[in-house]
Amino acid sequence: MTRLIAAGKYDAVAICLLHASADDAHERAVGKALAARLPGIPISTSAEVAREIGEYERMSTVTANAYVQPMVTRYLASLVDRLAQLGLDATLDIMVSNGGFTTGALASRVPIRLLESGPPAA
């Protein structure tokens, strides 16, 4: 099984176990095991991304997070590089959907929280 997992071509992985909203120990264990076998591949767990009751809500959210994560990570890294090329030595703060701000690194880890950040910014 380990060889099959390591041989796969993944852009990202989403993990959602049934009762992870109550206790995410097994999700974290699966995530840790996959991270060891898939170095460099982003892994999202539902309890980290959307810790709420309801497996449909958690699964759809963590799947969307994993889907956009590689693209958002590349974009934010490119943005940081361009800012550095312009000689701007500042932190990158990004607005999230609740109106607060987060770092570029955390936005790369949980990009789904950027969804609908435009209306609070307005």
Side-chain angles (χ1 to χ4, degrees):
M1 182 64 134
T2 300
R3 275 188 247 141
L4 288 174
I5 291 172
K9 299 198 186 284
Y10 310 100
D11 292 327
V13 176
I15 301 167
C16 182
L17 301 181
L18 188 58
H19 299 292
S21 60
D23 182 1
D24 67 340
H26 291 117
E27 264 193 8
R28 285 185 283 116
V30 170
K32 187 175 181 179
L34 285 174
R37 288 161 181 79
L38 301 170
I41 303 299
I43 298 173
S44 300
T45 62
S46 70
E48 177 187 15
V49 173
R51 190 177 200 104
E52 58 187 60
I53 297 173
E55 58 273 4
Y56 175 80
E57 292 82 357
R58 285 186 298 108
M59 186 62 194
S60 60
T61 305
V62 76
T63 301
N65 188 77
Y67 179 74
V68 299
Q69 191 173 16
M71 178 178 52
V72 170
T73 299
R74 285 190 303 271
Y75 173 76
L76 292 175
S78 171
L79 182 58
V80 168
D81 288 346
R82 294 219 34 221
L83 292 172
Q85 288 172 4
L86 293 171
L88 299 173
D89 185 28
T91 61
L92 178 62
D93 293 329
I94 300 172
M95 183 169 279
V96 293
S97 57
N98 68 1
F101 286 90
T102 188
T103 65
L106 187 54
S108 291
R109 179 91 183 116
V110 191
I112 199 68
R113 293 183 185 155
L114 305 178
L115 186 68
E116 297 182 2
S117 59

